[in-house]
Amino acid sequence: MKHILLLLVAVTFVMAGCSKDPEPLTQTQVMTRLWKMQQYDIIVDNKVGATIYTRGGKSNYEDYGSFQFDFKSDGSFTQSDLDASGKTVTETGTWKLSNADKNLDLVFSDKSTTTLNVVSLTASELVIDQKTPVASISAADLADLASSGIVPKTNIGFQFTLRP
């Protein structure tokens, strides 16, 4: 009887020491952090047409090494980068995920809005993009693109790959 009582006490302590697995993070919780630019691609007809910037790359077209988004848990964000003169340019606003976490809705402090597609979101990487249908692009802009050798048939846009 004494052994059974000791066994029950031991089992009780073991069970009390076990904790539940932590709840998985929501996509909003995963999004809430500082994200830095890793790669900036131009998307033409749903494919990478050109890579503008890769962190650590030697032949970047432009330097986006300072570009970052800081998404806060209160729904605010700060986007910052350097302008051509090397001065930090900062924009602020609010953010939220929508459409079953497939869209990132940004409202800037000047009340302008943009919706980005969330291509993928993990704790270690955020990939967002935005595409514009060719029908929405002016003839002058299409001519400028064509002079650079870019002739989209369906859409053109960008894709950002960011990491903490």
Side-chain angles (χ1 to χ4, degrees):
M1 182 70 170
K2 204 175 193 184
H3 292 295
I4 293 175
L5 185 57
L6 284 174
L7 182 61
L8 285 174
V9 169
V11 168
T12 302
F13 280 114
V14 168
M15 295 301 287
C18 294
S19 62
K20 292 170 68 176
D21 289 334
E23 292 291 321
L25 296 176
T26 65
Q27 290 296 80
T28 298
Q29 290 169 319
V30 171
M31 187 77 163
T32 304
R33 66 188 70 219
L34 176 67
W35 296 96
K36 296 179 181 181
M37 181 72 76
Q38 296 299 309
Q39 187 162 315
Y40 174 5
D41 296 311
I42 298 296
I43 304 298
V44 180
D45 298 330
N46 299 314
K47 297 178 191 155
V48 174
T51 297
I52 302 299
Y53 171 81
T54 301
R55 184 170 293 282
K58 303 247 185 264
S59 59
N60 288 321
Y61 180 73
E62 289 187 37
D63 185 6
Y64 282 88
S66 299
F67 184 94
Q68 60 188 30
F69 278 110
D70 191 4
F71 296 104
K72 303 288 188 186
S73 60
D74 67 359
S76 66
F77 78 90
T78 302
Q79 175 189 324
S80 58
D81 196 7
L82 298 179
D83 66 12
S85 69
K87 179 182 171 194
T88 300
V89 178
T90 302
E91 295 190 59
T92 60
T94 59
W95 71 278
K96 70 176 181 175
L97 292 172
S98 64
N99 190 25
D101 299 334
K102 294 177 186 167
N103 291 352
L104 171 59
D105 300 322
L106 302 177
V107 178
F108 293 88
S109 57
D110 67 359
K111 304 298 181 213
S112 64
T113 64
T114 193
T115 297
L116 304 171
N117 302 308
V118 177
V119 177
S120 65
L121 173 59
T122 66
S124 60
E125 186 173 84
L126 167 63
V127 180
I128 52 179
D129 74 13
Q130 187 175 53
K131 299 171 193 155
T132 302
V134 169
S136 300
I137 301 171
S138 72
D141 287 343
L142 286 172
D144 284 345
L145 289 168
S147 70
S148 299
I150 300 172
V151 184
K153 293 177 178 47
T154 58
N155 60 49
I156 189 164
F158 66 86
Q159 179 171 289
F160 292 164
T161 302
L162 303 113
R163 293 192 181 128

